[in-house]
Amino acid sequence: MEQHASVTSLVIVILVAFLTPILLHKFKLNFIPVVIAEIIVGLIIGKSGFDIVHQDMWLETLSTLGFIFLMFLSGLEIDFTAFSGGKKKKALLPNGKEEPNRLRVAMIIFLGIFAVSLGLSYLFVWFGLINNAFLMTLIISTISLGVVVPTLKEAHIMKTAIGQIILLVAVIADLVTMILLAVFVSLYGDGQGSMWLLLILFGVGILLYFLAKRLKNNPFIRSLSTGTVQIGTRAVFTLIIVLVAISETVGAENILGAFLAGVLVSLLAPNQEMVHKLDSFGYGFLIPIFFVMIGVELDLWTLLSDKKMLLLIPLLLLAFFISKVVPVYFLKYWYDTKTTLASAFLLTSTLSLVIAAAKIAERIEIITPQMSGTLILVAVIACIITPIFFKKLFPKENAAEKKLKVSFLGANQLTMPVSRELQSFLYEPVLYHTRQDKSEQTIADSLFTINEIENYDSSTIEALGIFESDILVISTGDEALNASLAVEAKGKGVDRVIVRAESADLHEDLREKEIEVYSVFLSTKALLRALIESPSVLNILTNQETSLYEIRMLNHQFEGMSLRQFPFTGDVIFVRIFRGKDSIVPHGDTELHMNDRLIVTGSKEYVDELKRELEFCEDC
């Protein structure tokens, strides 16, 4: 009988986790994050609702694994290349002021957040609402990367100065809060852990990092990365389990080991295919179970019947906002009031680490289960309302009309006409060439605007802000120089780097670093073969009016929408959809999903409109 109940609860949780995103889309509730919806559904089927799901061994194990994997992905979300943003050449903002030093401003804002959070925590202790100021400081000061990152992406401001500042504040908060949570456990835990034992965990992490870095490009290891072996994915799960086991052995929390594993994998710069696999496994299976069970275990009626807990909910929400808006007001020197307030609201969002801190504090009996539930409930409410306020307040002109800057290093017979053809409301092409190498200057100057630079040294390129481009095309006459500049540009955080390299030996190495490569010789050979074998296909590729184009699906408004329902009308035909490694032949019932690569054909005018619809979300 007990086994039957166990399986029934598991089936119910899996079913609601599967149906939740479908219902969100069906009833047009996409403004609610899926993880929040999963907690709300958990409330309905759990103690606060119909009480048809009960915690057991199956659900407890899967929920714990989901929590561990969530902390791993939180560490993986941290992009350490963002910390190099403060070294870039400062540009002018639309209001004429010089762009701030992003890293310095982010650190000042976080220190302000932490200081205000500490002061507010002592007020909560003074009024007798909570007993531990350290814990409350962690709760108030933490920020959810899982909410901040997708919200910035939806608004298309991730690479702007304000977007990078918001991201850096969230990254610093995530790192510092997680470390301080480990310190909190060492100080207030059951006595098994101590501060110096944490050094063992970090020491093992550093050793594993250097070992993994050494083996990453090993030819033997690379040969095992395909097919049924998938050694890279196995290595990641091994790393998680090893660090979780060591974390528990030294008396720390298992989530600290999982978070450290995510940080190490992020430092190793995994390819996007692997990140996609890990995201798919985590958010497709384990993590939804964890969030549904959070809702199942929350007893809202008990919380709402306690006057102290009821009073704590609005006070905590107010504390969350005050702790962010006071330090973030520092941005008012550079930005308008709406942008500043919108940034403060987005940084108020918090979830994963609040749940972690609340659950840990409840386990070591620092707070009661009612207090733990209240903290989680407030985090859920904050995650629902703060992105909405951000989208309403943030000036649309800051993001919607932003063109993609495409920089060309090397002006030649290929890059010059391409830069001219790219001129549109979507792209802002810029040509750079060294003064001494520029040929046919009179003719070129009459047709193209070419920016002369002293040399192709990385210091010169960085000083000119070329590494801040959205797309960088490197096509000088020296392929070794092209390759080295491409690697450096990728390290500086340039989203897309396209490089000319004629040597086949360079191609594989560059592509492993996620650098796109083209070769004049190989391209010409492929075109000649296509002309012989498929002249009609080649005509489609080369015809300016009916060429093939690739569009990335980045607009959440069209997530899950079928092509039959797609509101865009015009002279465009969907030819192919690439989703990960899958190649899909589209038809009317084919649904669009985030990060799909759409191959379309049609007139350039309509294709540009479609790009605007799918790659630039103006209504977000």
Side-chain angles (χ1 to χ4, degrees), residues 108-124:
I108 290 171
I109 290 174
F110 173 72
L111 289 173
I113 289 172
F114 195 80
V116 175
S117 300
L118 185 61
L120 291 170
S121 299
Y122 276 106
L123 281 177
F124 277 98

Side-chain angles (χ1 to χ4, degrees), residues 84-92 98-99 405 407 409 432 451-469 472 485 488-489 492:
S84 64
K87 299 177 182 179
K88 293 181 178 179
K89 182 180 181 289
K90 295 175 185 176
L92 291 179
E98 191 179 70
E99 193 178 281
K405 182 182 178 183
S407 295
L409 279 180
Y432 296 93
N451 296 277
E452 293 184 337
I453 57 178
E454 291 297 325
N455 51 54
Y456 290 127
D457 290 345
S458 60
S459 57
T460 303
I461 293 169
E462 185 168 12
L464 291 168
I466 298 173
F467 286 138
E468 295 183 38
S469 307
L472 178 58
L485 286 176
E488 185 156 3
K492 295 286 185 183

Side-chain angles (χ1 to χ4, degrees), residues 4-20:
H4 177 72
S6 171
V7 173
T8 302
S9 293
L10 177 62
V11 170
I12 292 171
V13 170
I14 295 291
L15 277 174
V16 298
F18 169 70
L19 292 172
T20 298

Side-chain angles (χ1 to χ4, degrees), residues 150-212:
T151 305
L152 291 176
K153 286 181 179 178
E154 285 176 32
H156 298 286
I157 61 168
M158 180 71 89
K159 294 300 180 182
T160 63
I162 185 64
Q164 285 290 294
I165 290 170
I166 295 171
L167 177 64
L168 280 167
V169 174
V171 166
I172 294 167
D174 222 32
L175 278 170
V176 173
T177 308
M178 196 68 204
I179 293 168
L180 290 178
L181 185 58
V183 174
F184 172 78
V185 174
S186 298
L187 293 175
Y188 298 97
D190 50 19
Q192 293 178 356
S194 62
M195 292 292 293
W196 69 269
L197 285 175
L198 289 177
L199 297 177
I200 297 175
L201 176 63
F202 289 111
V204 172
I206 292 169
L207 287 174
L208 289 172
Y209 166 73
F210 283 109
L211 178 63

Side-chain angles (χ1 to χ4, degrees), residues 411 416 433-444 450:
M416 287 193 293
H433 202 88
T434 52
R435 185 176 295 112
Q436 63 271 26
D437 290 337
K438 190 170 65 173
S439 59
E440 301 179 5
Q441 185 167 347
T442 305
I443 298 173
I450 301 175

Side-chain angles (χ1 to χ4, degrees), residues 36 56 68 90 98 139 148 161 193 206 223 236 279 283 286 331 457 478-479 486 501-502 505 525 545 567 606:
I36 300 299
D56 54 45
I68 287 171
K90 295 175 185 176
E98 191 179 70
I139 295 290
V148 169
I206 292 169
S223 68
V236 168
D279 274 344
Y283 287 106
L286 290 174
L331 291 174
D457 290 345
D478 184 343
E479 73 168 15
E502 300 298 329
D505 296 336
K525 186 174 71 171
E545 290 302 313
Y606 285 114

